[in-house]
Amino acid sequence: MSENKEEDRASLVNRQLPEMTLSTAENPLTAPRPPPADLSAPQRAQYRFQVKGNAIITGGAGTLALEAAQALLEHGASGLALWDMNPDQAFESVKLLHAKFPDRRIITEVVDVRDEAQIASAIESTVKVLGSIDMLCCFAGVVGCTHAIDMAAAEWRRTHDINLTGSFLCAQAAARQMRVQGTGGCVVFTASISAHHTNYPQPQAAYNSSKTALLSLAKSLAAEWSSYGIRVNCLSPGYMDTILNFGPGLQRARDSWNSRNPMGRMGHPWELTGPLVTLCSNAGRYINGTDIIVDGGAMVF
Ligand SMILES: NC(=O)c1ccc[n+]([C@@H]2O[C@H](COP(=O)([O-])OP(=O)(O)OC[C@H]3O[C@@H](n4cnc5c(N)ncnc54)[C@H](O)[C@@H]3O)[C@@H](O)[C@H]2O)c1
Ligand SMILES: OC[C@@H](O)C(O)[C@H](O)CO
């Protein structure tokens, strides 16, 4: 071993690791905040699922995202930014939401979640219009059904770049903004039952692995960011009744999914919104670094 390598090794061994700062019981950002004592029973019920502040929703032009956006607004979000690569569809969603919630600020930004520069500029313009970022819900995702043995490296990379790295980059940018604000916040990744078991009968190695990694990422970020009052969790939908599951050749797969689901059907996008609102509201204040599976029991067999 050369002298330099010996020195490098010694400096590695002696290097001080940066340590995570954990939250303490005194941190007001992570304090319990039960409902004020003078609230009536209906007010307490409302307080439990009250959503406060502004949310970014990535993949904001998608089906599950639209349902999520509506739910956050129904529960009190003051503003939303729908980020997506597909500006026309995102704009359609914004129009729909504006019609239902004319008093809220709802905007769209063209963002490819793989692109750090686009994310940084969208954070800036989102803050300029909405005033703050308090929640980030990552729905941007892609799925492919290629046998692993035939998969081009490009498909593997694209799936992970969008589903995993894209979620990380958006979470990092949003968390930096939340840290500057000093207000805490909440991040929700959309994982999947594919994160927990291997989808069948469709071959989806890249998709499954990208979603499993999100579970681990949520835990790691929850550990690192709790001191800033930022909670990070995942939602894992099962097979939902969305366009993603109606691609060519998926009829047989759908029959197979339903036959292995104790409830015998796919999920309605609305059925994901209760758990999402829970994570983003007062109800979720002590839920951190974990995953909520919403699959009708698809994995019991
Ligand atoms: N539908 C289901 O059954 C199901 C089940 C489990 C998990 N999920 C996950 O939920 C999320 C939403 O699913 P959906 O059914 O609403 O799908 P969808 O196709 O309707 O929505 C996905 C959205 O992501 C956007 N997108 C794709 N690549 C992007 C990129 N690079 N940058 C920004 N936006 C990008 C698309 O334009 C689209 O609007 C996905 O992450 C999906 O993996 C869906
Ligand atoms: O695991 C279920 C979903 O993640 C997804 O809807 C499916 O795998 C897409 O084909």
Side-chain angles (χ1 to χ4, degrees):
M1 191 178 282
S2 78
E3 233 170 68
N4 271 351
K5 280 211 174 127
E6 195 59 69
E7 261 172 41
D8 286 350
R9 228 179 69 176
S11 77
L12 268 181
V13 170
N14 296 326
R15 190 179 52 169
Q16 282 291 320
L17 283 181
E19 273 190 23
M20 291 181 209
T21 314
L22 302 184
S23 198
T24 65
E26 285 71 45
N27 184 348
L29 293 174
T30 50
R33 291 203 205 143
D38 56 344
L39 294 193
S40 65
Q43 285 171 329
R44 282 172 64 92
Q46 198 201 2
Y47 178 89
R48 183 167 291 115
F49 292 105
Q50 187 179 64
V51 171
K52 270 195 163 167
N54 302 303
I56 293 171
I57 302 190
T58 77
T63 317
L64 296 183
L66 176 59
E67 202 73 36
Q70 180 163 331
L72 293 180
L73 292 166
E74 285 163 357
H75 284 264
S78 37
L80 286 187
L82 303 187
W83 289 9
D84 205 287
M85 271 170 76
N86 179 344
D88 295 340
Q89 189 53 44
F91 188 63
E92 286 306 311
S93 297
V94 169
K95 273 202 300 195
L96 273 172
L97 294 168
H98 260 307
K100 289 188 179 169
F101 303 92
D103 58 327
R104 315 295 170 84
R105 286 168 308 224
I106 305 164
I107 60 169
T108 173
E109 297 283 340
V110 183
V111 180
D112 181 333
V113 297
R114 292 166 289 186
D115 187 326
E116 285 175 80
Q118 283 184 25
I119 293 171
S121 115
I123 289 276
E124 206 180 309
S125 32
T126 299
V127 173
K128 207 175 267 172
V129 180
L130 302 185
S132 67
I133 295 167
D134 308 288
M135 293 159 273
L136 168 75
C137 303
C138 294
F139 280 95
V142 287
V143 66
C145 295
T146 309
H147 280 281
I149 201 128
D150 299 321
M151 189 180 299
E155 180 179 343
W156 172 270
R157 289 201 185 97
R158 176 172 181 268
T159 307
H160 284 79
D161 281 352
I162 296 175
N163 296 0
L164 175 62
T165 311
S167 298
F168 170 70
L169 292 176
C170 291
Q172 184 190 49
R176 285 174 175 166
Q177 173 60 27
M178 291 169 186
R179 183 175 60 171
V180 168
Q181 291 167 197
T183 48
C186 134
V187 174
V188 180
F189 295 138
T190 314
S192 165
I193 52 170
S194 328
H196 298 269
H197 77 171
T198 301
N199 279 347
Y200 179 83
Q202 73 282 25
Q204 288 183 320
Y207 182 78
N208 297 343
S209 114
S210 70
K211 294 295 186 179
T212 305
L214 277 177
L215 302 184
S216 170
L217 179 63
K219 285 183 204 292
S220 305
L221 300 184
E224 291 192 34
W225 295 351
S226 290
S227 56
Y228 310 129
I230 302 170
R231 293 180 296 107
V232 188
N233 290 293
C234 290
L235 270 183
S236 278
Y239 293 102
M240 309 302 281
D241 207 345
T242 73
I243 201 146
L244 200 76
N245 292 321
F246 281 80
L250 280 179
Q251 175 62 49
R252 263 196 43 235
R254 279 198 302 280
D255 293 343
S256 162
W257 304 334
N258 290 339
S259 74
R260 283 178 287 118
N261 187 312
M263 294 180 71
R265 65 170 175 86
M266 297 168 82
H268 188 285
W270 184 83
E271 293 176 304
L272 197 61
T273 58
L276 177 79
V277 168
T278 299
L279 291 177
C280 295
S281 65
N282 292 326
R285 275 192 72 76
Y286 202 50
I287 306 180
N288 197 16
T290 191
D291 178 43
I292 302 183
I293 298 173
V294 189
D295 69 348
M299 292 189 293
V300 298
F301 298 121

